[in-house]
Amino acid sequence: MSDEKENLLAYRYRLISKMDSDNIMDVWYAVDVELDNAPVIVSKLPKAVLSSGRVYQQVKAAMIESLKLLHSNIASIRSLHDNAGEPFFISDFTEGQPLNRCLDEWGKLTVEEAKALLTPLASAIDYAHGRGVVHCDIRPSNVLVRVDGSPCLCNFCTTA
């Protein structure tokens, strides 16, 4: 196998830049070399999560449940992988920016603007709850505002 393939996650995903990091996930912008460098999001579990078997199993179970979620306002998770004992999952890349950054730029929202964001998010949350999946960390940085202005809920991390 070539050195280039060996430097990829699961011999397929090339990490380009780190987008975010918290106690549960390290989130990377990456490309899928098997699909003509299509952009994807790679979410890796930090070593602290991996060292806690209970937390790891909880997060893994949530990711598996999240694979079932198909809603226009929920970031689609494609697959779960293991890279030499370090699990990660692949999500579709969506062009946009986190709501917290948008709010910094926009300032105070009108009631109509808030409704335009919150109504689709409430629909997404209701849909997920109906399938037994609970988002444990709803906050502006886990909502992506797409280029068209529609919201997308990201980073599910627990189940009911």
Side-chain angles (χ1 to χ4, degrees):
M1 187 165 301
S2 73
D3 283 340
E4 182 178 324
K5 280 283 196 179
E6 290 176 9
N7 292 325
L8 303 173
L9 283 178
Y11 303 110
R12 180 172 182 168
Y13 303 101
R14 178 175 293 115
L15 301 180
I16 304 297
S17 61
K18 195 172 204 176
M19 298 173 66
D20 195 14
S21 184
D22 60 26
N23 294 332
I24 303 293
M25 298 282 175
D26 292 328
V27 181
W28 292 79
Y29 172 76
V31 293
D32 183 342
V33 298
E34 297 285 320
L35 295 176
D36 292 327
N37 292 320
V40 296
I41 300 298
V42 171
S43 298
K44 297 171 63 178
L45 301 172
K47 293 196 186 313
V49 171
L50 293 174
S51 66
S52 169
R54 182 185 61 78
V55 174
Y56 166 69
Q57 290 303 324
Q58 181 182 16
V59 172
K60 183 178 177 181
M63 294 305 102
I64 291 169
E65 287 300 311
S66 297
L67 287 166
K68 302 174 187 175
L69 299 178
L70 299 172
H71 187 280
S72 61
N73 298 102
I74 295 176
S76 296
I77 297 174
R78 288 188 190 178
S79 57
L80 180 65
H81 299 272
D82 188 279
N83 190 65
E86 295 185 3
F88 65 95
F89 67 94
I90 302 298
S91 301
D92 288 336
F93 174 77
T94 302
E95 185 94 27
Q97 66 177 336
L99 179 57
N100 59 316
R101 290 190 196 143
C102 292
L103 293 173
D104 288 343
E105 289 177 20
W106 300 339
K108 187 175 178 180
L109 300 179
T110 66
V111 171
E112 293 77 25
E113 291 168 331
K115 279 184 184 178
L117 287 170
L118 294 175
T119 300
L121 289 174
S123 171
I125 293 164
D126 182 59
Y127 170 85
H129 287 186
R131 281 141 189 87
V133 180
V134 176
H135 195 294
C136 68
D137 193 18
I138 297 174
R139 57 186 162 129
S141 62
N142 284 334
V143 174
L144 184 72
V145 179
R146 297 181 181 115
V147 175
D148 68 4
S150 65
C152 182
L153 190 55
C154 307
N155 301 330
F156 279 80
C157 59
T158 192
T159 58

